[in-house]
Amino acid sequence: MTEKKFELVDRATGKKSELPVRSGTLGPAVVDISNLYKEHGVFTYDPGFVATASTESKITYIDGDAGILLYRGYPIEQLAEKSTFMEVAYLLLHGELPTRKQLDEFTSNIRYHTMINETLLRFFNGFHHNAHPMAMVSAVVASMSAFYHDTMDIHNPRHREIFAHRIIAKIPTIAAAAHKHSVGQPFVYPRNDLDYCSNMLHMFFAVPCEPYQVDPIAAKALDLLFILHADHEQNASTSTVRLAGSTGANPYAAISAGVSALWGPAHGGANEAVLNMLEQIGTVDNIPKYLAMVKDKSSHFRLMGFGHRVYKNFDPRAKIIREMCHKVLARLGRSDNPLFELALRLEEIALKDEYFISRKLYPNVDFYSGIIYSAIGIPRSMFTVMFAIARTVGWVAHWQEMISDPTMRIGRPRQLYTGPARRDYVDLSKRG
Ligand code: CMC
């Protein structure tokens, strides 16, 4: 789809060349620089990938200036209102909304794979009780590659499909096992008569000594949060999965790399950090003091859950979650949630502040999600694990898209070397 050319002039040599410009369906066009080094002997330099499209993709589109998010073309608002997480998972993986028959088949495939190998369960005993659940989930997901290695041919579409079903089905079981290990309760086996999110709540909160009834409001809220977190194009963790996967590595190992990348507070770890921050701020009266800290760069204090590399407008997911907070807290009888009140005031004050206005910093998906997770009883250290469960679908969709592309190559960025030039080794006895 080459339409325009981008003219490049090397002023030192006077050499001119034309770089192809490629346009997608939506969004800015890209200058194809893949032959730049071959023809001009230079690399491009873009630390943080601010202006670099690392791949072509058909899965998710974001317009950060307009605050638009589309999964396979469908607006996130419509999916949040009308769809379910299982339907969205099918959409992201297959490109189209499923028919009733396709959805039933997909859902029963996922249900079929919910149990994890009993030996895998024993891995948890190797962790201290206060190990962060993201560390346990990342390690146990990586360990799955040991169970499914010889039987996994990444070039076989059927093997790839089984991998997709397995990891999407098993990650809530692994997450729940990590939670049970942290609280010292026995592991609870999955119940395949329950839907995806109800089963997850059951594995988290049921105990053998008394019956447990899943709260449908909690299950619905979780389903909606999972829809909102399911994919977000080439974010840090998805790019990590793609990079690890591009080497031909076992896909469970690639997903584990994604879990690790998600953990950081600049990415998925922000949901946990937001609640810590709100507690630290404490009351509305303290907001000005913390906003002053934000402006003092030496404090290294940031408003967690604010700002985004791509959104320079409201994150559409944050708007949906804020609305959802009102409804969920009211329906759970917790409308007077002081942290939610504080978050609302903090948003209001920050959005009128010149610092945030000039930098186009708005609340992101993580600003309000922790308040809902807390309200449904998920412990704070598990918030990022919740994000990982939902994002597994996106990671798998991107891995599939990459591996099934016949032009795929190993991801291998270059660098601007600024270390010492060539020098000779000095014997130990002769060093100062
Ligand atoms: N609080 C205060 N100042 C901020 C914030 C914030 N949350 N975010 C950005 N800034 C400032 C930053 O200091 C810089 O100011 P200046 O130009 O004076 O140096 C300017 O805004 C641009 O920031 P940046 O760090 O260059 O922007 P980035 O695109 O590299 O970083 C970000 C994006 C999300 C890492 C960053 O906004 C941030 O650290 N936010 C807080 C953590 C967070 O909420 N992360 C979740 C992101 S959404 C979900 C996800 O991806 O998982």
Side-chain angles (χ1 to χ4, degrees):
M1 227 196 297
T2 303
E3 289 160 3
K4 299 188 272 179
K5 297 279 183 194
F6 194 82
E7 191 176 67
L8 191 78
V9 184
D10 183 340
R11 292 207 186 278
T13 60
K15 186 175 170 186
K16 278 189 188 171
S17 60
E18 284 186 333
L19 299 173
V21 174
R22 300 186 60 204
S23 298
T25 338
L26 297 168
V30 300
V31 180
D32 183 346
I33 54 151
S34 49
N35 284 327
L36 191 68
Y37 177 64
K38 216 188 296 174
E39 288 170 14
H40 288 266
V42 290
F43 298 138
T44 54
Y45 181 65
D46 182 20
F49 306 111
V50 177
T52 296
S54 60
T55 186
E56 180 183 322
S57 181
K58 294 182 169 54
I59 303 174
T60 290
Y61 173 74
I62 305 172
D63 181 335
D65 294 320
I68 290 171
L69 170 61
L70 311 176
Y71 290 168
R72 300 281 190 183
Y74 296 102
I76 194 66
E77 293 80 2
Q78 291 182 20
L79 294 169
E81 190 192 332
K82 300 179 180 167
S83 191
T84 62
F85 179 60
M86 276 298 101
E87 197 179 39
V88 164
Y90 184 97
L91 172 69
L92 287 168
L93 291 168
H94 297 277
E96 294 298 335
L97 286 167
T99 60
R100 164 57 57 197
K101 185 167 170 281
Q102 287 166 331
L103 182 60
D104 290 347
E105 236 170 66
F106 178 72
T107 309
S108 79
N109 277 330
I110 300 293
R111 283 186 178 155
Y112 179 75
H113 289 289
T114 49
M115 289 215 306
I116 55 175
N117 190 299
E118 209 66 11
T119 20
L120 201 59
L121 259 186
R122 284 185 223 128
F123 282 36
F124 288 94
N125 293 334
F127 291 100
H128 205 254
H129 70 92
N130 61 359
H132 195 287
M134 282 298 275
M136 293 193 259
V137 172
S138 166
V140 175
V141 169
S143 311
M144 283 179 70
S145 56
F147 291 79
Y148 307 105
H149 190 65
D150 297 339
T151 52
M152 174 78 222
D153 171 7
I154 58 169
H155 301 295
N156 181 326
R158 177 66 188 136
H159 286 198
R160 293 203 294 265
E161 191 181 26
I162 297 173
F163 152 72
H165 295 158
R166 276 200 181 119
I167 187 67
I168 293 167
K170 291 182 202 302
I171 195 149
T173 316
I174 293 171
H179 170 62
K180 289 298 193 188
H181 180 74
S182 306
V183 293
Q185 288 178 3
F187 171 71
V188 173
Y189 286 91
R191 264 185 53 192
N192 290 354
D193 59 320
L194 296 175
D195 63 75
Y196 193 82
C197 289
S198 300
N199 174 47
M200 215 214 72
L201 289 169
H202 157 77
M203 291 189 293
F204 261 65
F205 299 121
V207 284
C209 52
E210 56 188 50
Y212 173 77
Q213 199 60 42
V214 176
D215 179 345
I217 299 171
K220 181 79 195 118
L222 205 55
D223 198 81
L224 180 52
L225 284 172
F226 281 8
I227 292 175
L228 300 178
H229 282 94
D231 193 41
H232 215 227
E233 51 116 310
Q234 312 309 323
N235 56 82
S237 56
T238 303
S239 297
T240 302
V241 171
R242 277 186 178 263
L243 197 59
S246 78
T247 67
N250 183 294
Y252 296 97
I255 298 293
S256 159
V259 175
S260 301
L262 185 74
W263 191 2
H267 194 5
N271 52 16
E272 186 183 339
V274 168
L275 278 218
N276 293 338
M277 175 193 75
L278 289 174
E279 255 177 24
Q280 193 187 345
I281 297 176
T283 63
V284 173
D285 302 345
N286 286 331
I287 292 176
K289 185 174 101 192
Y290 282 90
L291 290 191
M293 269 166 72
V294 164
K295 294 167 197 173
D296 170 11
K297 296 283 177 195
S298 67
S299 76
H300 300 292
F301 182 80
R302 283 190 168 202
L303 270 199
M304 299 314 288
F306 255 77
H308 197 275
R309 170 60 63 76
V310 185
Y311 293 117
K312 300 300 167 200
N313 196 328
F314 264 99
D315 178 337
R317 303 166 300 172
K319 276 194 201 164
I320 299 170
I321 299 181
R322 189 181 45 195
E323 262 324 291
M324 188 182 162
C325 271
H326 285 291
K327 287 189 195 143
V328 173
L329 294 176
R331 290 186 64 189
L332 292 173
R334 299 187 199 146
S335 300
D336 56 344
N337 185 306
L339 289 186
F340 183 42
E341 292 305 317
L342 182 62
L344 287 171
R345 286 291 290 143
L346 181 57
E347 175 189 332
E348 197 185 323
I349 296 171
L351 290 182
K352 288 187 191 137
D353 191 296
E354 183 46 32
Y355 176 94
F356 291 86
I357 296 171
S358 61
R359 289 169 180 77
K360 300 187 178 167
L361 300 170
Y362 291 84
N364 60 50
V365 68
D366 289 324
F367 193 61
Y368 290 109
S369 61
I371 291 171
I372 299 186
Y373 287 137
S374 276
I376 61 181
I378 307 280
R380 203 172 292 178
S381 63
M382 291 298 300
F383 291 178
T384 313
V385 173
M386 297 293 111
F387 192 156
I389 295 173
R391 186 56 59 85
T392 293
V393 166
W395 292 331
V396 172
H398 283 271
W399 178 83
Q400 288 262 35
E401 182 176 65
M402 179 185 70
I403 298 286
S404 53
D405 176 356
T407 66
M408 182 200 90
R409 301 171 78 186
I410 186 172
R412 197 346 181 147
R414 302 307 297 260
Q415 65 169 4
L416 174 65
Y417 177 70
T418 53
R422 188 201 177 281
R423 48 186 174 164
D424 288 322
Y425 180 81
V426 180
D427 284 337
L428 187 56
S429 59
K430 292 189 184 139
R431 281 176 236 156

